[in-house]
Amino acid sequence: ASAPALPPAPQRTGAPAPPPAPPAPPTRSVHGSFRGDHWALLDKGSSSYHGTGWSSAEAARYRRGDEPLLWVRRDGESWIVRDPALVAEAKALWQPVTELGGQQGALGGEQGTLGGRQGELGARQGKLGTELGALSAELATLATRAALAEDGEARAAMQARADRLQARIEAIAEQMQALGEQQRQLGEQQAEMGRRQGELGRRQQEAVERAEQGMQRLIDRAITSGKAEKVSG
C-alpha cells in the first residue's frame, strides 16, 4: 500500500489587524475659535465654553444662582449677557454641533463593538491555525512512517489514522474559510462606518462654522444693543 498523500495545507490566517480608531467626537462643552473671542455659556445643569478653561470659572463669578448666563471676553474687555432670549439663542446655535458629536460618539461605539467581533473571530482563526499546523505536521510524520513500514497491518492502521487527520484538516479549512468570509463582511461594515464618520465629521465642521459665525453676530448684537453688560476692562 502506498503512503497516505499529504494534503495541501490551507493558508493559515492569523488575527486581523485591529480596525482603525474612529474619529474622536469633539468635547461636548468646548467649541471652536473665532476673532479671538473667549466666551462661556452657563445654563441649568450644563456649561459650554470657547477659548481657555478659565472661561467658565470666570463666568461663574457673575452668575446669580443657576441663571442662564453668557460671558464674553473680547479685545481685553469682559461682558455679561443675562438676557434669556439671547442666551437661549446662543445655546441653540451650538445644538446641531452637539447632536452631531453625539452621533459620532454612538457610531464610534458601534465601530468598537464591531472591532471586538473582529478580534474574537481573529482569535478563533488563530486557534484553528495552530491546530491545523499541528495536524499537518502529524500527518507528514505519519506519511513518512507509513512509507517505511513493512508490516501491512501497521500500514493499514497508519492509513486509517491519516484518513482521520485528513478529514479533520479539511473540516478546519472549511471553518477558516467561513471565518474569513465573516471577517470580510465585518471589514466592509467597518469601511461603511468609516465613510459615515467622515460624512458626520464634514457636517459637524460645517455646523461649527455656522455656529461660530452666528455666535459672532450674536455677541456683536448684544454689545451694540446694550444687552451686554461690561464688567471689566
Side-chain angles (χ1 to χ4, degrees):
S2 60
L6 288 174
Q11 182 70 31
R12 181 173 177 175
T13 306
T27 305
R28 182 184 62 83
S29 60
V30 183
H31 301 304
S33 173
F34 57 88
R35 288 182 54 179
D37 291 342
H38 296 261
W39 57 261
L41 180 62
L42 307 182
D43 200 358
K44 294 180 180 179
S46 67
S47 66
S48 307
Y49 69 87
H50 148 264
T52 55
W54 52 260
S55 299
S56 291
E58 180 68 15
R61 293 175 51 197
Y62 302 98
R63 194 178 190 188
R64 300 166 183 165
D66 62 353
E67 68 171 344
L69 179 74
L70 173 63
W71 171 89
V72 179
R73 181 76 173 175
R74 172 179 286 186
D75 298 329
E77 297 179 331
S78 295
W79 306 79
I80 292 295
V81 179
R82 303 184 190 275
D83 183 79
L86 281 177
V87 174
E89 182 181 342
K91 185 176 181 180
L93 284 171
W94 293 98
Q95 187 61 32
V97 178
T98 300
E99 291 176 353
L100 286 168
Q103 292 178 38
Q104 285 187 304
L107 188 57
E110 292 181 31
Q111 287 181 295
T113 299
L114 202 61
R117 291 173 59 191
Q118 287 181 300
E120 291 173 1
L121 287 177
R124 290 170 60 188
Q125 286 177 302
K127 184 176 180 179
L128 287 173
T130 299
E131 183 181 358
L132 181 62
L135 291 176
S136 297
E138 183 179 354
L139 184 58
T141 300
L142 195 61
T144 301
R145 290 175 57 197
L148 299 175
E150 297 181 357
D151 181 82
E153 186 175 341
R155 279 200 304 271
M158 292 179 190
Q159 182 63 55
R161 174 59 180 165
D163 291 343
R164 290 193 295 272
L165 290 175
Q166 175 69 32
R168 178 56 184 161
I169 287 173
E170 291 176 356
I172 290 175
E174 290 179 1
Q175 291 179 59
M176 294 186 70
Q177 183 176 2
L179 291 175
E181 175 60 20
Q182 292 180 53
Q183 286 282 23
R184 183 191 66 78
Q185 293 175 3
L186 291 176
E188 290 179 354
Q189 293 179 49
Q190 282 283 17
E192 172 59 20
M193 287 183 178
R195 186 197 64 77
R196 288 165 56 193
Q197 280 284 17
E199 175 63 17
L200 285 174
R202 182 190 65 78
R203 289 170 56 193
Q204 189 178 57
Q205 180 58 37
E206 293 174 351
V208 167
E209 292 173 359
R210 288 192 298 269
E212 288 179 344
Q213 294 169 6
M215 198 72 177
Q216 179 177 318
R217 290 191 295 268
L218 183 147
I219 292 171
D220 290 342
R221 182 159 31 99
I223 292 175
T224 58
S225 69
K227 291 184 177 180
E229 172 191 356
K230 187 177 179 181
V231 293
S232 68

